[in-house]
Amino acid sequence: MNIIMIIFLFLLGLTFGSFFNVVGLRVPKRLPFTNDRSICPQCNHILSWFELIPVLSYLLQGGKCHHCKGKISLIYPLVELLTGFLFALSYVTIGLTSELVIALLFVSMLMILFVSDSKYMIIPDNVLLFFLPLFIIIRFMQPLDPWWSAILGAVIGFVIIASVIFISRGGMGAGDMKLFGVLGIVLGIKNVLLVFFLSCMFGAIVGILLILFKVIDRKQPVPFGPYIIIAALVSYYYGDSLLDWYFNSFM
Ligand SMILES: [Zn+2]
């Protein structure tokens, strides 16, 4: 375990997190995210370098646009911090192995989807289609044990959400279904089932709290993606330990 490496991955994550905010906001609107400058979505003022430092700019400007004083969404610094933390955590839990490549790609995909789903309630196909072939290739070289767990995970993940969509008629969307297919490849069968269980649990707990405290009313649609994303991260890093603990304690 190398402290320099941990700090390096944290800072790398902060920087990438800033980029994932841009990608997550622009891809669903089919805007390019490579060449044009970042602007304030409220006053269209072009951001200068000191307004683009991850987390720090947000804190120094008190969460407001330097130009129009419009509120900046808390999602931006949150995604930057979370990406930094998860990049570092990936190295700490996995070490310098080829699985680390999957971990960093997995975090990247989930952070972009977190932005898109929180903002527009969309899980963009383009993002899934960009990461899917990478996961398939690397899972082929760095297989799960047993190797077919990834294939079964993808199929079962897809089928479970398809059934939920069919039964509930609107509880989840096609985007969630495709996302579960991709999660299956990375996580395997046992952990993709765990993601389903955990995301329903998180969603139910937060949903009940939001209704109890009257933050939202019962009819208002809530994006389910963030719960899937948090559940997927928990399962990726701690799924095997959680499952071991559960089966040893209760079975
Ligand atoms: Zn502004």
Side-chain angles (χ1 to χ4, degrees):
M1 205 58 56
N2 183 336
I3 187 78
I4 305 283
M5 192 67 186
I6 297 174
I7 295 169
F8 168 73
L9 278 166
F10 180 74
L11 295 176
L12 189 74
L14 283 183
T15 315
F16 268 91
S18 194
F19 174 63
F20 298 156
N21 276 317
V22 176
V23 177
L25 285 177
R26 294 191 187 177
V27 164
K29 293 190 146 185
R30 303 198 175 276
L31 294 169
F33 53 80
T34 42
N35 41 23
D36 58 325
R37 303 283 304 274
S38 289
I39 54 162
C40 165
Q42 286 157 64
C43 67
N44 291 334
H45 146 75
I46 294 176
L47 304 181
S48 29
W49 66 269
F50 66 89
E51 292 165 283
L52 290 167
I53 309 164
V55 186
L56 217 61
S57 294
Y58 182 87
L59 293 177
L60 290 175
Q61 293 169 218
K64 290 182 183 128
C65 167
H66 173 70
H67 199 70
C68 69
K69 306 288 172 221
K71 252 185 105 178
I72 305 172
S73 169
L74 192 63
I75 289 199
Y76 305 120
L78 187 73
V79 164
E80 289 161 355
L81 267 183
L82 207 56
T83 311
F85 170 74
L86 293 168
F87 271 28
L89 180 69
S90 300
Y91 169 68
V92 172
T93 51
I94 294 162
L96 219 47
T97 63
S98 50
E99 182 64 29
L100 185 61
V101 180
I102 290 201
L104 298 183
L105 288 170
F106 193 54
V107 170
S108 303
M109 178 185 80
L110 293 176
M111 289 298 106
I112 295 170
L113 296 179
F114 184 81
V115 176
S116 299
D117 204 50
S118 314
K119 192 82 183 172
Y120 311 111
M121 296 195 40
I122 290 175
I123 292 183
D125 282 346
N126 294 355
V127 176
L128 296 178
L129 285 172
F130 175 82
F131 285 98
L132 179 64
L134 300 173
F135 289 139
I136 293 175
I137 294 167
I138 309 170
R139 257 295 162 258
F140 188 74
M141 297 188 294
Q142 177 77 24
L144 293 168
D145 178 27
W147 64 268
W148 44 263
S149 177
I151 300 167
L152 197 62
V155 174
I156 299 290
F158 196 85
V159 169
I160 288 179
I161 308 303
S163 326
V164 171
I165 293 173
F166 183 72
I167 297 164
S168 74
R169 291 172 195 282
M172 288 185 182
D176 299 318
M177 177 174 74
K178 289 175 247 176
L179 172 58
F180 261 85
V182 178
L183 294 180
I185 291 174
V186 177
L187 298 168
I189 177 66
K190 276 192 282 183
N191 277 312
V192 87
L193 293 174
L194 183 65
V195 175
F196 179 69
F197 172 76
L198 289 177
S199 56
C200 293
M201 194 175 80
F202 295 158
I205 293 171
V206 176
I208 289 168
L209 288 176
L210 290 180
I211 290 169
L212 275 182
F213 290 99
K214 305 229 182 328
V215 179
I216 55 163
D217 72 76
R218 214 174 288 257
K219 296 269 155 56
Q220 196 175 331
V222 184
F224 195 66
Y227 304 113
I228 303 175
I229 290 161
I230 295 164
L233 290 165
V234 171
S235 305
Y236 182 73
Y237 296 108
Y238 304 111
D240 290 339
S241 332
L242 264 176
L243 289 168
D244 279 348
W245 167 81
Y246 179 81
F247 285 109
N248 289 330
S249 317
F250 300 104
M251 294 281 160

